Amino acid sequence: MDVEQIYKDSDALLEGHFKLSSGNHSKYYLQSAKVLEDPKTAKLLAEALAEQIKASGIKVDAVCSPALGGLIAGFALATALDVKFIFAERVDGQMSIRRGFEVQKGGKYLICEDIITTGGSALEAANQVEAAGGEVVGYAALANRGFCVRSGCNDEPKQNCKLPKHLPLFALEDFTFEMYSADNCPLCKDGSVAYKPGSRGN
Ligand code: ZN
């Protein structure tokens, strides 16, 4: 499956001058919501991810996603795995599990994002599952930005990867883009201004 081509075909791999949530600048930006706006594509990607997870032999009782980014990917993955789906959301900056969701004591949870960058939100959701008595058995995402290492690759994770090394990260693709600090960005030096997608109505 050519995930990069699917992102391109969905206009979800943006090219320009972007300010990432880390504060760094980049020429590329992934807008996963655009890939997932077609439910058929979402289903296709989630089924491929589910195959990988099943092949690994780990047991999963439920998927939990951090809102908002992980919701669609997580729901599609839970459908493909035929397990329950819950989500964690931020309330006053603090990730929490609400809405009457009950974490099954000793239940095996897979944490699903759309894209894993450093894995910060995924880890916060995992901590909530564990605080409620669930067991986190791994992480999943449609794509991995190259800070963390997906299952089957032998690279060392970058220092800012927040996901625990002992748990698998399942992802369909690595998207590793060059990034620049704001004060050393060649795109800024060329005179353009970085913007954060989502902050200008897109
Ligand atoms: Zn820049």
Side-chain angles (χ1 to χ4, degrees):
M1 171 179 283
D2 190 342
V3 178
E4 185 172 335
Q5 194 58 48
I6 292 174
Y7 267 75
K8 282 180 180 162
D9 292 346
S10 310
D11 292 326
L13 179 56
L14 310 182
E15 197 171 344
H17 182 189
F18 305 104
K19 185 176 179 182
L20 309 175
S21 41
S22 61
N24 289 323
H25 291 191
S26 171
K27 201 175 167 184
Y28 299 98
Y29 188 85
L30 294 169
Q31 188 63 278
S32 291
K34 280 289 288 174
V35 167
L36 300 169
E37 82 177 345
D38 183 345
K40 288 191 292 296
T41 307
K43 184 168 181 277
L44 200 74
L45 292 167
E47 282 170 353
L49 193 54
E51 283 310 312
Q52 231 187 74
I53 293 158
K54 284 178 193 164
S56 79
I58 66 164
K59 186 176 179 293
V60 176
D61 295 316
V63 172
C64 177
S65 287
L68 194 69
L71 290 185
I72 302 168
F75 181 83
L77 180 61
T79 306
L81 289 171
D82 193 22
V83 298
K84 281 193 176 177
F85 173 69
I86 65 171
F87 60 88
E89 61 198 296
R90 279 188 204 286
V91 181
D92 299 327
Q94 174 67 44
M95 196 68 86
S96 64
I97 294 171
R98 314 171 74 205
R99 300 180 193 259
F101 288 140
E102 276 179 31
V103 173
Q104 192 191 325
K105 295 258 180 286
K108 297 182 186 306
Y109 286 78
L110 187 70
I111 309 297
C112 183
E113 267 281 25
D114 52 354
I115 305 279
I116 289 286
T117 305
T118 61
S121 297
L123 181 66
E124 284 178 70
N127 289 342
Q128 290 306 306
V129 167
E130 287 184 336
E135 182 194 346
V136 174
V137 293
Y139 294 83
L142 301 177
N144 173 40
R145 284 283 280 101
F147 296 95
C148 300
V149 177
R150 62 190 174 115
S151 189
C153 300
N154 291 319
D155 301 344
E156 273 299 300
K158 302 269 192 306
Q159 212 171 6
N160 45 8
C161 173
K162 297 192 177 81
L163 299 184
K165 277 187 184 177
H166 67 284
L167 291 177
L169 166 62
F170 302 98
L172 295 173
E173 180 74 75
D174 288 312
F175 282 112
T176 311
F177 307 136
E178 215 168 328
M179 286 187 305
Y180 315 103
S181 62
D183 56 4
N184 192 28
C185 170
L187 304 165
C188 285
K189 281 175 188 157
D190 283 346
S192 75
V193 176
Y195 80 96
K196 196 170 179 180
S199 63
R200 290 200 316 197
N202 51 358

